[in-house]
Amino acid sequence: MSTAIADIHEIPAESQVNYLNASYGIKSWLLTLDHKRIGLLYLGTITLMFLIGGVAAVLMRLNLIEPTGALVEPDTYNKLFSIHGIIMVFFFLVPSIPATLGNFLIPIMIGARDVAFPRLNLMSWYVFVTGCVFALYAVAAGGVDTGWTFYPPFSSSYSHSHVVAMALGIFIAGFSSILTGLNFIVTIHKMRAPGMTWFRLPLFIWAMYATSLIFVLGTPVIAVTLLLLAAERLLHVGIFDPAIGGDPLLFQHLFWFYSHPAVYIMILPGMGIISELITAFSRKKIFGYSFVAFSSLAIAIISFVVWGHHMFVTGQSIYAGLVFSVLSFVVAIPSAVKVFNWTATLYKGSISYEAPMLYALGFIGLFTLGGLTGLFLASLATDVHLNGTYFIVAHFHYIMVGGAIMAYMGGLHYWWPKITGRMYPDLWARFAALVIFVGFNLTFFPQFVLGYLGMPRRYGVYPQEFQVLNVLSSAGASILAIGYVIPLVYFFWSWNYGPPAGPNPWGATGLEWTTSSPPPTENFEHSVIVTEDAYNYPTADVTSE
């Protein structure tokens, strides 16, 4: 992509003035308006939440080694799976890519100097941290035992755990999502560089735009729903509890109206990252750019009308079930468009198997398997048998962990040299990607079999005949945990000791690779003018550093 940026001289990264060394001290970070520093603040916060949610998951898997429960009492197990689900979904997966890589990259990728509302951007981080504090208080004070879905009347009338504190944490964090989405929409609309037309935008920007629409339109629904839940619990107003005149199915409709689009909040940014990685490491222009771009918008729109497939066994009308089933199959079409176009891009490409590309290829395989198993759950006949079993746990994790987190890791490895100005050890990075892939499949593939055989989810005990598969799953979780720790170690190492990366270590196209690594506070030394389409690899003038 051509720009009017002057050539970058070979100056060591540590001697350049950049966003990391432009100012020092805790105050310069806590009061920063630089979107790149705010992205790093989010990165540190969600990494902490990921570790907390991961510890809960490890304790669950250790407990399930024995059929009678090897580690904790059933009440404690209920709290472990609730804490794991709530922390991972609302405090890691939802903000993971948008708040970190989205914050860091969107202005640079469109040639802007910052987001449209820098102060609002900083405030969104403080709002998110406030939500985290409420959630961590609920965990420290004794936990929550409602599951991540908070279904009443158990959550509103019968649970004696810290439901209100956790619900308030999610409610507050939701405002962070709304502010972030609003900021991104205005930034993408109004702050693109001259020549950066809609159809020259990187596909990561299209994915973030679609995600931001869901943030703004969907998040208020879950916020109001949890507020009503807290009101019923505290004031005993009959909203969801049938004993006092409420309707528990109303909660499920409201909850899933947000929470199914929330799945795409988690996966759409990952799809945008995969589009960037596939083109960069196959040295080819993306196949069917406009189809991939519009499929992101199609997913965002259709995702709002498929929530009812979570409620096939609630007694809803058979005609409603039929409509939701058909729509659930329809929403798979734009996802399939992306997978086919990525595959076509790889065809006859000059593929290099760097660590980011390994995560991208892993994403395609795992997300495809997760998507195909989702069709079983979109069908009324099979969902009746599989609903509430470990099949759903496996399907959800193949989408969220095998998809969203694989893409998140791939994006971190791809843009880490740009973020820090330093490279990480390539062999360790490839090894970690392999460990994560093997550990993930060993953890969750046996759960498809367990679910098919009828093992219910959320149980701390199970029949003896399921032990072998559970032990396999627990062994895989141990491998997966090691796979996540390895990048944490070498990222810390590379921040201080990694070799300088240079402006464009991958030989990639895109505005972010035309500025120094790390970028200056203003992102670019000179004004940017875009004269070429995205991913113009056959004619792009790029040099691998």
Side-chain angles (χ1 to χ4, degrees):
M1 186 173 291
S2 296
T3 69
I5 297 176
D7 291 336
I8 299 169
H9 302 292
E10 292 297 325
I11 304 173
E14 57 269 20
S15 64
Q16 293 179 358
V17 177
N18 56 63
Y19 81 99
L20 290 172
N21 61 21
S23 57
Y24 293 96
I26 295 177
K27 184 178 178 181
S28 71
W29 282 85
L30 296 181
L31 299 180
T32 184
L33 299 181
D34 186 348
H35 66 97
K36 299 181 290 299
R37 285 194 169 197
I38 293 171
L40 292 185
L41 291 173
Y42 268 114
L43 178 62
T45 308
I46 69 164
T47 300
L48 173 63
M49 301 306 283
F50 177 80
L51 292 174
I52 294 170
V55 168
V58 169
L59 294 175
M60 288 164 55
R61 290 312 322 170
L62 289 175
N63 187 70
L64 290 171
I65 291 175
E66 292 286 342
T68 56
L71 191 65
V72 297
E73 295 297 318
D75 286 346
T76 304
Y77 183 82
N78 290 345
K79 293 178 179 178
L80 285 176
F81 74 69
S82 301
I83 291 168
H84 169 68
I86 292 167
I87 295 294
M88 285 300 201
V89 170
F90 295 108
F91 297 96
F92 174 73
L93 283 167
V94 167
S96 59
I97 297 174
T100 57
L101 295 175
N103 249 318
F104 191 96
L105 292 166
I106 286 177
I108 307 178
M109 293 178 87
I110 65 174
R113 294 187 178 274
D114 209 315
V115 294
F117 308 114
R119 287 178 175 81
L120 199 67
N121 200 21
L122 178 62
M123 189 177 89
S124 71
W125 177 70
Y126 277 105
V127 170
F128 180 71
V129 169
T130 305
C132 291
V133 169
F134 273 89
L136 294 179
Y137 163 76
V139 172
V144 179
D145 60 358
T146 61
W148 77 277
T149 54
F150 293 97
Y151 278 0
F154 178 62
S155 60
S156 60
S157 299
Y158 300 108
S159 174
H160 298 295
S161 59
H162 298 272
V163 177
V164 173
M166 188 66 82
L168 282 176
I170 299 169
F171 176 80
I172 294 168
F175 282 95
S176 173
S177 298
I178 295 169
L179 297 177
T180 299
L182 179 65
N183 218 339
F184 288 172
I185 290 172
V186 177
T187 301
I188 295 168
H189 267 278
K190 294 294 186 180
M191 301 189 69
R192 303 191 307 275
M196 179 64 82
T197 63
W198 280 96
F199 291 100
R200 285 178 174 170
L201 286 174
L203 289 167
F204 179 73
I205 302 297
W206 278 98
M208 289 306 309
Y209 184 80
T211 304
S212 299
L213 292 176
I214 304 176
F215 270 149
V216 172
L217 297 176
T219 309
V221 178
I222 189 68
V224 170
T225 304
L226 292 175
L227 194 64
L228 291 174
L229 179 69
E232 178 169 276
R233 189 174 173 88
L234 295 173
L235 305 176
H236 303 290
V237 180
I239 303 171
F240 304 123
D241 186 351
I244 50 177
D247 182 0
L249 289 186
L250 174 62
F251 178 91
Q252 291 193 37
H253 281 290
L254 293 172
F255 181 87
W256 289 115
F257 182 80
Y258 163 80
S259 292
H260 194 82
V263 172
Y264 297 104
I265 289 176
M266 304 173 211
I267 202 68
L268 269 173
M271 291 173 163
I273 289 175
I274 299 308
S275 296
E276 302 294 324
L277 301 185
I278 292 296
T279 56
F281 294 100
S282 61
R283 322 305 300 168
K284 278 182 65 181
K285 193 170 185 176
I286 191 79
F287 181 86
Y289 171 95
S290 58
F291 282 89
V292 179
F294 282 119
S295 66
S296 294
L297 295 178
I299 289 171
I301 294 168
I302 300 172
S303 71
F304 279 102
V305 293
V306 298
W307 78 90
H309 72 224
H310 294 273
M311 302 174 62
F312 284 155
V313 296
T314 62
Q316 69 178 357
S317 160
I318 189 66
Y319 301 107
L322 176 63
V323 171
F324 282 123
S325 179
V326 171
L327 289 171
S328 300
F329 278 84
V330 169
V331 79
I333 295 173
S335 298
V337 166
K338 289 182 182 292
V339 173
F340 286 129
N341 283 33
W342 293 330
T343 308
T345 304
L346 292 170
Y347 179 65
K348 291 188 176 180
S350 179
I351 300 172
S352 60
Y353 296 99
E354 311 289 341
M357 186 60 159
L358 296 181
Y359 283 106
L361 295 175
F363 173 98
I364 293 175
L366 299 177
F367 173 76
T368 300
L369 183 56
L372 290 174
T373 55
L375 299 179
F376 287 75
L377 303 174
S379 171
L380 281 78
T382 50
D383 183 74
V384 169
H385 171 64
L386 298 173
N387 192 283
T389 70
Y390 261 84
F391 192 94
I392 289 181
V393 177
H395 157 71
F396 184 79
H397 283 82
Y398 264 82
I399 297 293
M400 293 299 97
V401 183
I405 297 183
M406 288 289 279
Y408 175 65
M409 295 296 290
L412 275 182
H413 283 79
Y414 182 54
W415 284 293
W416 187 258
K418 182 59 56 179
I419 294 171
T420 65
R422 296 184 179 275
M423 295 299 295
Y424 46 80
D426 182 64
L427 283 178
W428 275 109
R430 296 188 197 200
F431 175 69
L434 180 63
V435 170
I436 289 172
F437 184 82
V438 171
F440 172 83
N441 281 287
L442 186 57
T443 302
F444 294 106
F445 194 83
Q447 295 179 14
F448 280 125
V449 184
L450 285 169
Y452 169 77
L453 294 174
M455 179 175 169
R457 63 197 292 200
R458 299 175 175 172
Y459 278 44
V461 296
Y462 54 86
Q464 181 73 40
E465 58 265 29
F466 294 150
Q467 184 173 13
V468 172
L469 290 169
N470 272 290
V471 169
L472 283 175
S473 187
S474 295
S478 303
I479 297 171
L480 187 61
I482 294 170
Y484 286 136
V485 169
I486 295 172
L488 191 65
V489 173
Y490 64 66
F491 277 153
F492 271 114
W493 175 87
S494 71
W495 186 282
N496 294 308
Y497 305 109
N504 191 1
W506 311 118
T509 64
L511 290 180
E512 74 270 30
W513 302 111
T514 62
T515 187
S516 60
S517 299
T521 301
E522 299 81 12
N523 296 337
F524 301 97
E525 297 292 341
H526 304 280
S527 299
V528 177
I529 300 174
V530 180
T531 60
E532 293 178 355
D533 292 339
Y535 315 115
N536 203 3
Y537 278 98
T539 58
D541 182 19
V542 293
T543 304
S544 180
E545 296 293 334

